[in-house]
Amino acid sequence: MGVARVQTELPGPRSKELFERWEKVEAQCTGYQARVCWDRGKGVVVTDVDGNTFIGWTSGVLVTNVGHSHPHMVAAVQAAAAKLMNNYECLNEPRVQAAEKLVQILPAHLDRCFFLSTGSEATEACIRIMKRKTGKFEILSFHGGFHGRTYAALTAGGLAGPKKGYGPTLPGAIRVPFPYCYRCPFRAKPETCDMLCLDYVDDAVRANSSGSLAGVMVEAYQGASGFIFAPEGWFPRLERWIRSRGLLFALDEVQAGFGRTGKMFAMEWEGLTPDLVALGKGIGSGLPASAVAARSDVIGVLSAGEMSSTMGGNPVACAAVVAVVEIFQKEKLEQNALRIGALMKERLERIQGKCPWVGDVRGRGLVMGVELVKDKKTKEPAPELTKKLIDVAARNGLLIGSVGVFGNVIRVAPPLVITEDEAVESLDLFEKSLAMVEA
Ligand SMILES: Cc1ncc(COP(=O)(O)O)c(C=O)c1O
């Protein structure tokens, strides 16, 4: 018998009551989610306030990489909270330990870090440091990119949602297409295109730069846009171009870091050596923590008083970071992500072969996107079907969410502790749910 068990209508009576109370007091501006009020989580299993249990494919939003409420993390956070919760910039021991642990697991050239609280703060800081180090103000970034909702981060982003009604964005943004090969903006084919989108980067800079280009900000894979992975070789070629221009290279691993793609950091796949890396989400696996990892000669441009954050480096968040690293070192979760991810992808590809709505399956490790379309030939996106599928899957005991430029990509991103049995059960539930919806 599996672990998923839904015994009430959704939302269940207690969830319904809480939704009604919530809607009266908090602005309703978040994305589409199943009508389930979460009560607790353990590993990949989520229990709602009505006692229904679900397998979660969301990890919050790719946050709880070590699993919901991992006992080692719970104990570490509880112990830290009982001692000291915040002391701002004054030193605390967990902060030292977290920095040591982080630098220890990062590629050797990234020998410094700085703790903040959110992913947006980390990407914003990367942009600030690139400008500060070079004295230049232009940033090259990518269509479909998502780096957060603060001003420089959303300016570098290439999605309309975070910018809506919020212009003008900051000056100095040069945005170019990311290799979204399933929907190539150049209508090219990956087998024959020779990555012409990278040649276009040169054209775009020639046409748009005032000569003040500081650096490049790019996600290791595009998360919010639909889990879009660049073809092999694209990133090394981009890095060569960055180096040939003497630019700084900031990689956004807020989502990709901490084992999600099957390596501790996604940059390891192709041996990239970014000057700055933004980390978030999985680094605190549920506690609000983020960091900039950097080369000391780059981040060293900041002098006393130039960067800090009220909650950044607080002892509770730092104790969480230490616990997360220890869990990874002990349980080798990135290897589990690789193994279970491969078997899940193989099954998802078989489902793609059978189901008329599954246009594309892509990803690596435990981050995969299933892109839903109305018709495989025209590739017309199916956002309404996606919403229906989210509801149907929840009723079947599987919690999924959507991403994508068109809101039509299912996130397959469970906590990295998922077992083979849980993976198979969740895929059965997914296949059953797909068979129950119609475009
Ligand atoms: C790649 C990436 N960068 C930055 C952010 C922003 O992180 P936060 O929401 O913690 O500010 C996100 C969040 O989804 C993200 O996916």
Side-chain angles (χ1 to χ4, degrees):
M1 199 168 109
V3 293
R5 209 167 151 77
V6 178
Q7 291 166 300
T8 70
E9 299 265 286
L10 291 185
R14 177 88 178 116
S15 284
K16 192 161 179 287
E17 183 211 320
L18 286 162
F19 273 111
E20 282 166 5
R21 280 167 52 192
W22 181 48
E23 281 155 16
K24 286 190 192 134
V25 286
E26 210 183 336
Q28 299 296 300
C29 47
T30 52
Y32 192 80
Q33 304 289 350
R35 302 280 288 171
V36 169
C37 181
W38 293 31
D39 184 49
R40 55 193 185 275
K42 193 96 209 120
V44 297
V45 180
V46 172
T47 305
D48 75 359
V49 290
D50 294 286
N52 298 309
T53 53
F54 307 84
I55 295 183
W57 269 5
T58 65
S59 307
V61 56
L62 296 100
V63 169
T64 54
N65 289 11
V66 302
H68 294 289
S69 297
H70 190 293
H72 182 60
M73 212 181 132
V74 172
V77 168
Q78 283 176 339
K83 275 173 82 177
L84 182 71
M85 291 207 201
N86 193 297
N87 61 340
Y88 188 42
E89 293 173 338
C90 301
L91 192 57
N92 62 72
E93 190 168 349
R95 186 173 190 151
V96 180
Q97 291 167 342
E100 283 172 348
K101 287 259 180 228
L102 184 54
V103 169
Q104 187 196 342
I105 60 169
L106 281 163
H109 74 285
L110 298 168
D111 56 349
R112 289 290 186 283
C113 65
F114 190 83
F115 289 113
L116 298 158
S117 302
T118 66
S120 306
E121 268 190 294
T123 55
E124 189 91 13
C126 288
I127 293 169
R128 168 198 285 259
I129 295 164
M130 287 199 284
K131 293 187 181 189
R132 187 69 178 75
K133 176 75 181 166
T134 59
K136 297 180 173 180
F137 74 96
E138 289 168 348
I139 301 292
L140 183 106
S141 59
F142 290 84
H143 295 179
F146 182 75
H147 304 290
R149 293 176 191 275
T150 51
Y151 221 148
L154 75 82
T155 295
L159 281 170
K163 297 195 193 91
K164 195 167 165 189
Y166 201 39
T169 51
L170 291 175
I174 301 175
R175 301 185 203 91
V176 292
F178 192 77
Y180 186 179
C181 299
Y182 182 65
R183 298 183 187 278
C184 174
F186 299 99
R187 310 285 179 265
K189 296 250 174 303
E191 310 81 68
T192 51
C193 73
D194 194 26
M195 300 185 201
L196 73 94
C197 50
L198 278 176
D199 297 336
Y200 181 80
V201 172
D202 226 36
D203 291 352
V205 170
R206 200 175 305 116
N208 295 303
S209 175
S210 66
S212 188
L213 190 57
V216 174
M217 167 60 92
V218 60
E219 280 173 271
Y221 65 82
Q222 287 197 329
S225 270
F227 293 172
I228 301 164
F229 283 70
E232 207 181 321
W234 187 89
F235 268 105
R237 216 168 116 182
L238 175 70
E239 180 163 6
R240 283 198 294 281
W241 179 84
I242 292 171
R243 300 303 173 205
S244 73
R245 294 293 185 114
L247 305 172
L248 287 174
F249 176 16
L251 188 65
D252 182 345
E253 289 224 27
V254 166
Q255 220 185 82
F258 282 82
R260 187 49 70 183
T261 67
K263 296 232 186 243
M264 197 63 188
F265 301 103
M267 65 187 132
E268 293 168 26
W269 280 106
E270 294 187 278
L272 304 177
T273 57
D275 304 295
L276 295 150
V277 177
L279 299 168
K281 296 186 188 276
I283 189 175
S285 275
L287 265 275
S290 72
V292 176
R295 281 179 22 212
S296 48
D297 60 318
V298 174
I299 200 167
V301 70
L302 298 179
S303 53
E306 276 190 76
M307 193 157 78
S308 102
S309 169
T310 297
M311 300 295 174
N314 77 71
V316 183
C318 287
V321 173
V322 172
V324 165
V325 176
E326 285 169 351
I327 293 165
F328 267 92
Q329 287 172 332
K330 183 152 177 250
E331 299 181 20
K332 307 270 181 271
L333 295 182
E334 68 280 21
Q335 291 174 19
N336 195 53
L338 210 53
R339 191 175 70 81
I340 305 286
L343 80 84
M344 288 185 79
K345 191 166 181 200
E346 196 258 327
R347 170 86 181 271
L348 287 168
E349 283 167 350
R350 274 191 280 134
I351 293 174
Q352 179 187 12
K354 290 187 265 178
C355 175
W357 327 127
V358 177
D360 196 26
V361 170
R362 51 185 178 249
R364 168 178 254 175
L366 279 172
V367 47
M368 284 164 283
V370 176
E371 178 150 359
L372 301 178
V373 292
K374 291 187 182 159
D375 178 313
K376 285 190 188 182
K377 274 214 180 69
T378 63
K379 300 185 182 177
E380 188 185 341
E384 290 311 317
L385 175 97
T386 309
K387 283 185 188 157
K388 277 191 229 163
L389 184 63
I390 290 173
D391 292 337
V392 171
R395 288 201 289 276
N396 286 328
L398 176 67
L399 290 179
I400 52 179
S402 65
V403 281
V405 183
F406 306 102
N408 65 328
V409 180
I410 297 296
R411 292 191 250 147
V412 186
L416 311 186
V417 291
I418 189 168
T419 63
E420 198 167 324
D421 285 350
E422 288 164 340
V424 170
E425 181 183 349
S426 65
L427 286 157
D428 289 345
L429 295 172
F430 185 63
E431 190 164 3
K432 175 175 158 190
S433 306
L434 264 177
M436 290 166 70
V437 289
E438 276 178 35

